[in-house]
């Protein structure tokens, strides 16, 4: 019930195209859903995050779509650039109060390659 | 803002020795720090959660006597890998949070045990 399933494992997109990565979860206690970008040999960096009270959040070229009833959320990268080539992780955590301290459960990761 | 540093970035040690990794929040006080382990081309695996001044909470399957965590202040947590063996070689990443869900990650430490 703690799992977050992410797909696809890898994704190749042409420059200017749209990259779409999907995640699904089972634990209804999750209420915070971030996406992280990680370059080789570096720590993850927060890209964008959403809570279940909204269905979509957009920041620049990055958009999260959230479907609470389906327990799914996705990351859309518009106008994908070669510099976006990295590994992307979705994650989920319960409310940060109490004893959970907002522990993140990560998806398996998606290696995105954007060709020039 | 919200910068987390780790030291060292890379360390090579001999089997049987201990290694200490530091995690610092540079511009904020972190109520909670987390330690993760990441294998090549794999996801992040949470090892433990630590709060300043209290004992760390370890995830199932993580040996607390093997991976000692100390959270001495609101800006510093340390992970000590005791009696390291080659199978402990990995990428160790810490993160810090300020009373909420958002976690800020450090750059990671590459540990190689020979």
């Amino acid at each position: 019930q703690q799992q977050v399933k992410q797909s696809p494992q890898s994704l190749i997109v042409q420059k200017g195209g749209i990259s779409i990565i999907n995640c699904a979860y089972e634990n209804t206690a999750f209420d915070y859903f971030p996406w992280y970008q990680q370059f080789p040999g570096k720590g993850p960096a927060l890209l964008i995050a959403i809570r279940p009270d909204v269905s979509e959040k957009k920041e620049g070229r990055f958009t999260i779509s959230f479907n609470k009833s389906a327990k799914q959320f996705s990351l859309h990268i518009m106008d994908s650039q070669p510099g976006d080539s990295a590994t992307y992780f979705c994650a989920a955590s319960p409310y940060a109060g109490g004893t959970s301290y907002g522990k993140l459960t990560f998806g398996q990761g998606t290696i995105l390659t954007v060709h020039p | 803002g919200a910068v987390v540093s780790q030291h060292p970035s890379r360390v090579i040690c001999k089997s049987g020795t201990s290694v200490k990794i530091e995690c610092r929040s540079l511009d904020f006080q972190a109520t909670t720090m987390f330690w993760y382990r990441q294998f090549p081309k794999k996801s992040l695996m949470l090892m433990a959660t630590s709060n300043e001044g209290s004992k760390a909470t370890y995830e199932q399957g993580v040996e607390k006597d093997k991976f000692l965590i100390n959270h001495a202040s609101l800006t510093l947590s340390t992970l000590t890998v005791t009696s390291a063996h080659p199978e402990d070689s990995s990428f160790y990443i810490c993160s810090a949070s300020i009373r909420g869900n958002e976690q800020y990650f450090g750059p990671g430490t590459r540990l190689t045990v020979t």
Side-chain angles (χ1 to χ4, degrees):
Chain A
Q1 200 180 19
Q2 290 295 323
Q3 279 189 326
V4 176
K5 296 183 179 179
Q6 183 173 346
S7 64
Q9 274 190 311
S10 62
L11 180 61
I12 299 174
V13 173
Q14 293 296 316
K15 179 182 175 180
I18 302 173
S19 304
I20 302 174
I21 305 171
N22 301 298
C23 284
Y25 65 98
E26 295 180 2
N27 188 349
T28 54
F30 287 150
D31 81 339
Y32 174 73
F33 303 89
W35 284 90
Y36 288 88
Q37 178 190 58
Q38 185 180 31
F39 292 104
K42 305 295 183 183
L46 178 66
L47 268 179
I48 187 171
I50 198 168
R51 292 195 182 272
D53 52 345
V54 297
S55 61
E56 186 174 283
K57 183 176 181 180
K58 182 176 181 179
E59 288 184 2
R61 295 185 295 112
F62 302 96
T63 300
I64 297 180
S65 296
F66 186 82
N67 186 329
K68 187 174 181 178
S69 60
K71 290 187 279 188
Q72 295 175 347
F73 58 110
S74 60
L75 175 70
H76 296 231
I77 306 174
M78 313 299 287
D79 187 26
S80 299
Q81 299 296 313
D84 296 331
S85 297
T87 300
Y88 292 80
F89 292 97
C90 64
S93 74
Y95 169 64
T99 57
S100 75
Y101 301 109
K103 287 197 307 184
L104 287 170
T105 299
F106 281 85
Q108 295 79 4
T110 296
I111 301 172
L112 172 65
T113 303
V114 182
H115 285 315
Chain B
V3 178
V4 176
S5 71
Q6 278 184 245
H7 179 80
S9 58
R10 289 177 175 269
V11 58
I12 301 172
C13 70
K14 292 187 183 298
S15 187
T17 61
S18 295
V19 174
K20 182 185 284 188
I21 302 169
E22 289 187 351
C23 176
R24 292 182 184 273
S25 55
L26 298 185
D27 52 1
F28 66 100
Q29 292 187 324
T31 52
T32 305
M33 287 185 167
F34 303 84
W35 286 96
Y36 296 84
R37 183 173 180 176
Q38 186 177 33
F39 291 103
K41 298 189 186 300
K42 297 293 185 184
S43 189
L44 285 79
M45 183 188 77
L46 180 64
M47 299 174 66
T49 302
S50 77
N51 293 284
E52 184 259 343
S54 61
K55 289 184 179 180
T57 302
Y58 290 82
E59 294 300 299
Q60 195 172 13
V62 177
E63 299 175 59
K64 62 180 180 181
D65 295 330
K66 173 78 169 172
F67 299 99
L68 299 178
I69 293 172
N70 184 274
H71 195 155
S73 74
L74 285 172
T75 60
L76 173 64
S77 177
T78 60
L79 168 68
T80 301
V81 183
T82 63
S83 186
H85 291 284
E87 57 266 30
D88 299 324
S89 298
S90 193
F91 193 50
Y92 292 89
I93 311 171
C94 71
S95 72
S97 69
I98 318 167
R99 299 192 187 283
N101 288 102
E102 197 162 312
Q103 290 185 28
Y104 304 96
F105 284 81
T109 296
R110 173 77 58 196
L111 170 63
T112 303
V113 185
T114 61

